Amino acid sequence: MRRAARARVRWNGQQILGRARQGALRGLLLGAEHLLAEPRKEVPITEGTLG
């Protein structure tokens, strides 16, 4: 009879949660930067008063 293979798993829930939050914040930042950059391609910003 064969013995079943065993595996031991260590669950680092707090570390995983922290990294997931970091990834989410990075994604939001990259998305916001993209949303700011795209309109500037068609409407360049110039300094001075509008007239």
Side-chain angles (χ1 to χ4, degrees):
M1 182 184 282
R2 274 180 123 176
R3 295 183 109 186
R6 290 185 177 204
R8 181 173 239 150
V9 176
R10 182 176 293 181
W11 180 254
N12 296 321
Q14 291 300 319
Q15 185 180 18
I16 292 168
L17 182 59
R19 288 188 181 191
R21 285 183 177 159
Q22 285 177 345
L25 288 174
R26 179 166 161 68
L28 286 171
L29 177 64
L30 291 173
E33 287 176 352
H34 177 74
L35 286 174
L36 286 171
E38 286 301 305
R40 289 183 180 165
K41 291 178 182 176
E42 292 195 31
V43 183
I45 297 175
T46 57
E47 294 188 23
T49 58
L50 296 175

